[in-house]
Amino acid sequence: MTDQTQFADALAAGAALSEVRRVDGAPFVVVPPGYDVTDLSNHLPAPLRKRGKAVLRDPGSFIAYAKRHWGPSASLYFQNDPPSFTALFNDHHGQGQADWRDFLAVYPAPLSREWQTWMGSTGKRMGQEDFAFFIETNLPDLLEPTAADFLEIAQSIQATKKVNFASGIRVTNGQNQLVYEETIESKAGEKGQLTIPEQFVLAIPVFDGDAPYRVTAKLRYRIDGGRLALWYDLERPHKVLEDAVSMLRGQIEKQLGVVALHGVFAT
């Protein structure tokens, strides 16, 4: 047998080994040691199927992209915290039919800066000056009392920082009166009162670009050694977030004509 014949026989044997075969419907290739199977699909004029992940930054863009690719194997998922929506275009579907589950669009529903600001400081005690500065910085978010009225309150809080607070009482009009005594060269001076609201109402969006929500905040205080600490507690913010997600879910479901599944897509 010549070298040329032996070489041809070796090629034929390798080709026989490397042909595509199937076991229970799954394709596989057997190749001789030292050889690889090369995927040349990226040289085709177009991919053989759709895949990839798109991250959209507003609900309109998410809906438009989902409508472009929606089909019989598509599913819509959502979750409340952190809020997000996922359109999975090649999900497993009915009657045992499987799909690749690797082509999707995500809208992470970014929280507004206002929501993050007020959520970030809820329950955090502040000195008079810091609290007054926080209120002045975020005056546009205040609904009740008005921004102008709350500005006066913040200025009053800041103006009484060099006093000793003695006590606080709740009055009938939904406000708190804090009794203080001025200190002049370490001696007691004139007494006065600082009136602050028991609660206030914000008008802030939950998501970027969303309509504002009414959010109630309880104004808290503590007097310790003559020093006044102030803070606020947002009232059930998780329920506000859930309602905002529910409203957004209804909008997306209506546009796509589907019911969203409450859960997180995972491969």
Side-chain angles (χ1 to χ4, degrees), residues 114-156:
E114 294 88 349
W115 179 264
Q116 294 182 69
T117 296
W118 287 97
M119 278 296 294
S121 292
T122 185
K124 292 185 179 180
R125 297 190 182 191
M126 300 178 233
Q128 291 168 245
E129 193 168 4
D130 289 340
F131 184 81
F133 179 75
F134 180 86
I135 293 298
E136 290 177 5
T137 302
N138 297 285
L139 277 177
D141 302 332
L142 292 160
L143 183 64
E144 299 172 8
T146 65
D149 290 341
F150 222 125
L151 178 59
E152 290 185 15
I153 295 169
Q155 290 172 341
S156 298

Side-chain angles (χ1 to χ4, degrees), residues 39-61:
D39 181 7
L40 300 176
S41 60
N42 60 327
H43 295 284
L44 295 173
L48 296 174
R49 62 182 181 85
K50 296 178 180 179
R51 58 185 172 183
K53 176 181 177 181
V55 180
L56 290 312
R57 296 303 180 188
D58 63 75
S61 298

